[in-house]
Amino acid sequence: MNLNLKNPLIFLDLETTGMNIVTDRIVEIALIKVHPDGKEEEKQYRINPEMPIPEVVTKIHGISDEDVKDKPTFKEVAKTIAQFMEGCDFAGFNSNRFDIPLLAEEFLRADVDLDLKKRKFIDVQAIFHKMEKRTLAAAYKFYCQKPLEDAHSAMADTKATYEVLKAQLDVYKDEEYEDAHGKTSKPIVNDIQALSEFSAYDTNVDFVGRIVYDEKGVEIINFGKNKGIPVEKVLREQPGYYGWILNSEFPLYTKKVLTAIKLRMKDN
């Protein structure tokens, strides 16, 4: 279906130095402007972020410091990009929560006034998530081809989860997937260790992800002003941090993990 447009609509995607809207920077921006008459224009820029690109991020998007060292900064191309965007609405995938907010930050830092208040924003990911429900009942219907009776009954939900996992192993037995290092591997196998690794969102140290492992296996803080800093460094340099965690509304398991790290430091 062709889009019914009153204004040009720009589809955009950003590659960045990380996921922090305030502190991270753009390293690549791709734009497709679709005009009401169906005409399309494409623009793509590599950007020097004026900060190092973490190695773990380079592994994701393939853009290194070397690739952007001679590229313009965002400030140098901001006016050109803003002119291309003038009078347009915007669309992207998870763009309302990430791409648009980060782009707005970059324009402000470049002192370019692009008024986004009157623009319309379409987030394709939001449409996907709202239309293709990600509930247990939806998964049961998709994988097991039957409705889930007594949904939200603890035992019915537990049995359904068991059936869904077995069905997933059947459905994906011939599907190759990309592992955390970007290597194409064999299909998901009927192995608990492999399934645990594949289904993990983060390398959490505690259950809620307040403390996670970095790519070297070091425990780091994953929230607040100390995000990305090794736990041991924070405990050494900020003596009150441990007490603050213990006396604040953090999960007991998070406190347990932090205590274990603190005790380990005393033994070393």
Side-chain angles (χ1 to χ4, degrees):
M1 182 183 296
N2 290 327
L3 295 173
N4 181 19
L5 304 177
K6 293 182 179 179
N7 302 314
L9 179 64
I10 287 183
F11 290 84
L12 78 159
D13 185 66
L14 308 180
E15 301 299 344
T16 65
T17 58
M19 297 299 293
N20 189 309
I21 290 167
V22 176
T23 60
D24 281 306
R25 301 292 187 267
I26 295 172
V27 298
E28 185 174 64
I29 178 170
L31 308 165
I32 300 176
K33 182 192 286 189
V34 182
H35 293 266
D37 63 2
K39 176 187 173 184
E40 297 179 8
E41 296 180 75
E42 296 183 5
K43 301 283 186 183
Q44 186 169 0
Y45 300 88
R46 282 277 174 94
I47 307 291
N48 184 337
E50 301 181 277
M51 65 181 291
I53 303 173
E55 184 179 347
V56 65
V57 178
T58 294
K59 288 180 179 178
I60 296 171
H61 55 46
I63 302 172
S64 66
D65 292 335
E66 183 69 20
D67 294 328
V68 295
K69 68 177 184 180
D70 297 322
K71 300 299 181 182
T73 64
F74 188 85
K75 188 168 187 176
E76 291 172 326
V77 297
K79 288 183 179 179
T80 301
I81 294 174
Q83 288 171 359
F84 186 71
M85 292 179 166
E86 192 65 39
C88 296
D89 296 321
F90 296 88
F93 197 85
N94 194 34
S95 49
N96 286 358
R97 293 193 298 177
F98 182 71
D99 300 76
I100 295 298
L102 196 150
L103 188 63
E105 291 290 309
E106 290 279 36
F107 277 125
L108 288 171
R109 282 189 288 266
D111 295 319
V112 172
D113 184 18
L114 180 66
D115 187 6
L116 296 173
K117 291 182 180 179
K118 296 180 180 179
R119 300 298 94 202
K120 296 179 179 64
F121 304 97
I122 300 171
D123 194 324
V124 176
Q125 185 193 65
I127 295 173
F128 172 47
H129 286 173
K130 289 180 180 181
M131 296 305 296
E132 302 298 330
K133 302 299 184 183
R134 291 297 184 262
T135 62
L136 175 58
Y140 192 73
K141 185 175 182 180
F142 180 82
Y143 289 107
C144 302
Q145 290 83 50
K146 53 187 175 181
L148 174 56
E149 304 292 342
D150 298 323
H152 303 302
S153 159
M155 184 54 70
D157 286 357
T158 302
K159 289 180 178 178
T161 303
Y162 176 39
E163 288 186 50
V164 167
L165 177 56
K166 291 190 291 183
Q168 285 176 326
L169 292 173
D170 288 333
V171 170
Y172 300 126
K173 65 180 183 298
D174 297 320
E175 294 286 336
E176 290 188 340
Y177 67 94
E178 199 173 79
D179 64 20
H181 305 289
K183 297 180 180 178
T184 300
S185 184
K186 300 300 287 183
I188 299 174
V189 294
N190 192 354
D191 176 83
I192 297 302
Q193 177 68 23
L195 291 171
S196 175
E197 293 175 358
F198 184 74
S199 62
Y201 283 109
D202 295 296
T203 51
N204 293 346
V205 182
D206 63 342
F207 289 124
V208 295
R210 295 290 184 268
I211 301 172
V212 299
Y213 293 108
D214 66 10
E215 64 275 11
K216 297 180 181 178
V218 175
E219 299 111 331
I220 61 173
I221 303 295
N222 195 37
F223 69 97
K225 67 177 184 179
N226 291 310
K227 185 172 183 177
I229 301 176
V231 174
E232 291 192 8
K233 178 179 173 66
V234 173
L235 292 177
R236 278 196 303 269
E237 298 180 359
Q238 301 176 39
Y241 189 83
Y242 176 72
W244 173 69
I245 292 288
L246 260 59
N247 293 311
S248 300
E249 293 185 358
F250 287 90
L252 292 175
Y253 195 81
T254 300
K255 296 177 182 181
K256 179 180 179 180
V257 166
L258 194 67
T259 299
I261 295 173
K262 186 175 177 65
L263 291 173
R264 184 187 69 201
M265 291 170 62
K266 285 185 177 180
D267 294 337
N268 293 336

